[in-house]
Amino acid sequence: MAVWALGINHNTAPLDLRGRFAFALDQIAPTLHGLRDSVGARLGRQPEAAILSTCNRTEIYCAGAQHEIDTTVEWLAHSGGVNAGLLRSHAYTLQDAGVARHAFRVASGLDSMVLGEAQILGQLKDAVRVADEAGALGTTLNQLFQRSFAVAKEVRTSTEIGAHSISMSAAAVRLAGQLFEDLSKVRVLFVGAGEMIELAATHFAAKSPKSIAIANRTLERGEKLATRFGGEVMRLADLPARLHEFDIVVSSTASQLPIIGLGAVERALKARKHRPMFMVDLAVPRDIEPEVKALEDVYLYTVDDLAHVVQTGHANRQAAVAQAEAIIDAGVQSFVHWMDQRGAVPLIQQLNSQADEWRAAELARARKLLARGEDVDAVLEALSRGLTQKMLHGAMAELRTGDAEARQRAQQAIEHFFLRKER
């Protein structure tokens, strides 16, 4: 079984390119079907597959009879509407042990923009769950991901890799505090009601802002979040008319197109008499049109703009990284050993089948003898002798061959498998 992976992340691809390959969780199942059909046409059967898509990365993991990296690249490029050559220039491809190492590093937070962050593990578990529900996982990828979860757990409990890590949300609060002297006097609007917004709202709510509002496409989920933080809920459709009321806007939705345009922000600034606005776009693809950043009284930050802030304390965690890498190395070796063993499974199955045939034949013979009234001890003796002769027949035949070299090989094998006293 071959294992391969293809991905782009915050280190290899710009935000707008990543946005072309961002899949919402409810899009992944149908996307997996398309991927498996495309690659399966080359392999002759559908491969195992899983897709991990976050604001910082989109990664495809596959397992099949042979590596089909080129086919996978072409499929992903087509799905994002870009040239395959352009995608290759920003992508990384991995095989076998390299896939395991990467998956283990991702799960452990070592490949994240925020070193040691824990959110990625939950996102990976969600991706695996969706792939499993879609019928896209098999023994190989399931083993890979279960081992990645175990490695991540060991890294968390055995090292301080997550100590003092700064999340995107904490970084946003820090930057907002540099613009506004007193965050208790500002009005904050959160656009969306997903996990990223929940994290951001938790951090901003700790600063006790003057007011909090949640704008979401469905009011029910928005109301739950608003109630938790003592805020109000509003419809997404009301956003353009009320944007001017807020000093801070944090957005993270699954929209494929920007929902806050340049014109809406310009009108809001005019209504605010050009009092500054702090805006954070945590979405991939973007929620806020990039042209907004050029406006004089707007401070707009994307996930990539926050990169230098979240790296604070990076040097303090390098010792923990070395410990984590050692744990990952051991995990990779274990997975590779498991993969190697999988290659012997057909032979093991054949051996078990042959042994079952011998056993069944001798049992049938013994039952006939007992039914005829033969002595039980004699039947058992014949049973054991018959099994022994069947098991040793091949070895004995090799020892009697006229080929000296073949006899030597047989002798070594027999000594190894049958005559070793210590295992």
Side-chain angles (χ1 to χ4, degrees):
M1 183 68 75
V3 182
W4 69 96
L6 161 69
I8 56 173
N9 65 19
H10 57 282
N11 291 319
T12 69
L15 174 61
D16 288 331
L17 183 63
R18 298 203 308 272
R20 286 182 169 272
F21 302 103
F23 301 102
L25 205 58
D26 59 0
Q27 296 176 311
I28 289 181
T31 303
L32 279 170
H33 291 310
L35 166 64
R36 298 180 74 211
D37 286 344
S38 178
V39 179
R42 287 288 301 257
L43 288 175
R45 60 176 296 182
Q46 288 191 331
E48 300 178 32
I51 296 176
L52 171 64
S53 185
T54 74
C55 61
N56 287 331
R57 71 183 65 244
T58 293
E59 295 179 343
I60 295 172
Y61 294 84
C62 293
Q66 63 189 41
H67 299 108
E68 284 291 344
I69 291 176
D70 288 344
T71 307
T72 309
V73 170
E74 290 165 7
W75 174 85
L76 184 59
H78 182 265
S79 74
V82 304
N83 179 273
L86 174 63
L87 176 59
R88 279 193 183 91
S89 68
H90 290 281
Y92 42 92
T93 58
L94 305 156
Q95 297 181 17
D96 304 324
V99 177
R101 183 177 303 281
H102 182 76
F104 295 172
R105 295 186 85 254
V106 168
S108 301
L110 267 66
D111 196 60
S112 297
M113 183 181 289
V114 183
L115 182 64
E117 59 97 3
Q119 186 181 7
I120 185 63
L121 181 58
Q123 292 168 328
L124 183 57
K125 288 182 176 180
D126 285 340
V128 172
R129 174 181 54 78
V130 171
D132 188 34
E133 291 173 351
L137 282 191
T139 302
T140 302
L141 284 191
N142 187 60
Q143 187 73 208
L144 172 71
F145 290 124
Q146 294 306 319
R147 286 170 182 262
S148 75
F149 302 154
V151 166
K153 181 178 180 181
E154 186 175 355
V155 168
R156 292 269 164 215
T157 56
S158 303
T159 76
E160 294 186 0
I161 192 68
H164 314 300
S165 64
I166 301 174
S167 68
M168 291 286 187
S169 300
V173 172
R174 179 180 293 186
L175 289 170
Q178 294 174 3
L179 179 61
F180 301 104
E181 291 184 4
D182 188 354
L183 291 181
S184 67
K185 296 180 180 179
V186 301
R187 300 178 185 273
V188 187
L189 170 66
F190 297 100
V191 184
E195 186 178 1
M196 289 292 287
I197 288 298
E198 186 174 356
L199 287 170
T202 300
H203 281 80
F204 275 98
K207 299 297 181 181
S208 302
K210 187 173 183 179
S211 69
I212 287 177
I214 308 290
N216 196 48
R217 204 173 301 277
T218 57
L219 285 180
E220 183 180 359
R221 184 160 185 175
E223 284 172 349
K224 288 181 180 179
L225 209 55
T227 300
R228 176 179 168 185
F229 296 108
E232 65 165 314
V233 65
M234 57 187 277
R235 295 183 183 278
L236 209 55
D238 298 331
L239 183 59
R242 296 191 56 187
L243 191 59
H244 67 280
E245 299 175 18
F246 302 98
D247 307 294
I248 296 174
V249 178
V250 181
S251 187
S252 180
T253 74
S255 174
Q256 295 301 302
L257 296 171
I259 57 177
I260 302 177
L262 177 63
V265 179
E266 287 176 328
R267 290 189 293 273
L269 286 174
K270 185 176 180 180
R272 290 172 60 82
K273 302 188 186 304
H274 291 274
R275 285 181 292 116
M277 291 181 71
F278 179 81
M279 306 184 80
V280 180
D281 188 351
L282 296 174
V284 180
R286 296 175 189 261
D287 275 348
I288 304 173
E289 287 187 342
E291 293 80 7
V292 169
K293 197 165 190 173
L295 296 176
E296 187 174 345
D297 299 303
V298 173
Y299 299 83
L300 172 61
Y301 294 86
T302 67
V303 287
D304 288 355
D305 294 325
L306 296 174
H308 70 281
V309 180
V310 301
Q311 292 303 323
T312 303
H314 180 86
N316 297 333
R317 295 191 296 277
Q318 288 310 300
V321 169
Q323 292 177 300
E325 293 285 12
I327 294 170
I328 288 169
D329 284 343
V332 171
Q333 291 175 11
S334 177
F335 178 72
V336 169
H337 178 65
W338 177 83
M339 287 281 287
D340 289 341
Q341 286 183 318
R342 291 284 295 168
V345 168
L347 182 59
I348 293 171
Q349 291 173 334
Q350 290 176 26
L351 185 60
N352 283 330
S353 177
Q354 180 65 79
D356 283 341
E357 287 183 19
W358 290 337
R359 183 176 58 84
E362 291 304 317
L363 278 174
R365 181 169 174 270
R367 289 192 179 103
K368 287 181 181 179
L369 292 173
L370 289 173
R372 283 168 19 196
E374 297 284 344
D375 179 68
V376 172
D377 287 339
V379 171
L380 290 176
E381 181 70 23
L383 172 66
S384 64
R385 190 183 303 110
L387 275 176
T388 303
Q389 289 174 346
K390 283 181 168 62
M391 291 173 62
L392 296 180
H393 174 74
M396 293 298 190
E398 288 297 315
L399 285 175
R400 296 189 185 103
T401 183
D403 186 338
E405 186 176 342
R407 284 201 306 273
Q408 179 65 26
R409 289 198 304 268
Q411 181 178 334
Q412 291 174 349
I414 291 167
E415 289 174 350
H416 178 77
F417 289 114
F418 295 106
L419 302 181
R420 280 198 304 173
K421 293 182 180 179
E422 295 182 4
R423 294 283 176 179

